[in-house]
């Protein structure tokens, strides 16, 4: 799927019962997602929620009224810099449209005044800081004294957000070295 998106091959979802899963199936984003629904309209409440959601390491799915898309795009630029965005409308219909952009470069002035949009914001993992082996090793050694391998991996993922397989392999190696 990701290769098709890179090569700009048109991807068409099969009609389903939910616009959430239909949009996710063609997004090319990580399949672990959080569906939020409609966002609040008041600035303070919206900023508070988006600030909280920006710290969550999942793909995020929202419903946005088309007429308000530019308002929300400005907020997304602030709270989700460097994350990719896909806007889906009229899915599985004649005028189906998927708009894919990198959030910090989006200049969305298209006139979408009707209907409801499904907006998906990519996961944060590809934008995390550089993998610091020494820091991860130190955390793993500390946690493995108290917790299982599985719990250690989860704790490190929670605080660092790196690739689970890579963290697991590193923790397993440390655990095996201790048993020698």
């Amino acid at each position: 799927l990701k290769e098709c998106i890179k090569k700009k091959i048109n991807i068409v979802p099969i009609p389903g019962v939910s616009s959430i899963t239909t949009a996710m199936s063609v997004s090319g984003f990580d399949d672990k997602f959080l569906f939020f629904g409609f966002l609040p309209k008041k600035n303070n409440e919206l900023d508070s929620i988006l600030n909280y959601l920006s710290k969550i390491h999942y793909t995020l799915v929202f419903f946005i009224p088309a007429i308000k898309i530019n308002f929300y795009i400005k907020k997304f630029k602030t709270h989700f810099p460097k994350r990719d965005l896909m806007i889906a409308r009229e899915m599985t219909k004649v005028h189906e449209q998927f708009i894919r952009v990198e959030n910090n470069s989006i200049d969305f002035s298209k006139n979408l005044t009707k209907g409801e949009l499904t907006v998906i914001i990519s996961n944060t993992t590809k934008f995390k800081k550089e993998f610091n082996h020494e820091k991860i090793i130190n955390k793993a050694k500390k946690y493995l004294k108290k917790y299982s391998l599985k719990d250690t991996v989860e704790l490190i993922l929670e605080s660092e957000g790196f690739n689970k397989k890579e963290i697991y392999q590193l923790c397993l190696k440390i655990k095996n070295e201790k048993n020698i």
Side-chain angles (χ1 to χ4, degrees), residues 128-134 136 162-163 166-167 170:
K128 289 299 280 183
K129 56 193 176 248
E130 190 175 312
F131 190 89
N132 183 335
H133 276 77
E134 188 176 320
I136 302 300
F162 293 107
N163 180 292
E166 194 173 0
I167 297 293
L170 191 58

Side-chain angles (χ1 to χ4, degrees), residues 54-115:
S54 70
K55 293 173 178 72
I56 295 176
H57 302 295
Y58 289 99
T59 299
L60 302 170
V61 182
F62 303 101
F63 288 150
I64 306 286
I67 199 161
K68 299 286 284 176
I69 190 64
N70 287 318
F71 168 76
Y72 288 105
I73 291 294
K74 287 177 188 171
K75 294 292 185 178
F76 293 156
K77 278 180 154 181
T78 302
H79 292 280
F80 304 104
K82 298 183 183 176
R83 290 171 75 170
D84 294 333
L85 186 82
M86 185 185 86
I87 300 170
R89 72 184 277 247
E90 298 292 319
M91 286 180 285
T92 71
K93 297 178 185 169
V94 175
H95 300 290
E96 175 177 84
Q97 187 177 24
F98 298 101
I99 303 164
R100 290 178 170 81
V101 289
E102 191 173 288
N103 194 7
N104 62 341
S105 67
I106 191 169
D107 183 21
F108 202 77
S109 58
K110 293 187 183 221
N111 191 12
L112 300 174
T113 57
K114 292 183 182 177

